[in-house]
Amino acid sequence: MKIIRSREFVANRAWGAELVATIPNATVRLHWTDQPYHWHVNDGEEVFVVMDGEVDMHYRQDGLAQVVTLLAGDLFFADSGDAHYACPRGVARVLVIERAGSE
């Protein structure tokens, strides 16, 4: 059993993570960041949950760039092949569930 207080989590670098669980073929990681992540496309589904802070999630839909601000408690689902990147507004803690081996 493990208890993690996400608001207290700090990593030694942007997007540093603590592995929470490895579910068959998936990982659950708590990330800490104060820097944006780059545009990328996952080779599997991804669930992105803002635990603390605010994150502007940039994504492409029907070829058009979009952005939505995610607050603590909000979830973002990216299907396989969806282009996206996250840009925190200050410090943020984010739970990411994705295919094992994804970065």
Side-chain angles (χ1 to χ4, degrees):
M1 185 176 308
K2 185 189 294 188
I3 296 171
I4 299 171
R5 302 200 187 279
S6 61
R7 289 185 181 186
E8 297 172 7
F9 176 69
V10 176
N12 61 0
R13 61 180 173 80
W15 295 99
E18 177 174 338
L19 179 64
V20 176
T22 301
I23 299 168
N25 302 317
T27 59
V28 179
R29 291 188 181 103
L30 177 61
H31 291 266
W32 173 95
T33 191
D34 61 356
Q35 300 294 315
Y37 201 74
H38 55 84
W39 275 103
H40 65 286
V41 174
N42 294 73
D43 58 358
E45 298 174 330
E46 176 182 31
V47 177
F48 185 98
V49 185
V50 177
M51 304 300 292
D52 186 49
E54 297 180 7
V55 177
D56 288 335
M57 181 62 77
H58 299 256
Y59 60 98
R60 290 192 186 106
Q61 187 170 24
D62 300 324
L64 299 174
Q66 307 284 328
V67 63
V68 62
T69 300
L70 302 173
L71 307 176
D74 290 345
L75 289 88
F76 178 84
F77 170 76
D79 207 347
S80 180
D82 288 345
H84 61 285
Y85 85 90
C87 184
R89 294 182 174 189
V91 170
R93 288 155 181 96
V94 178
L95 189 70
V96 177
I97 304 161
E98 61 190 346
R99 188 184 65 73
S102 293
E103 288 294 327

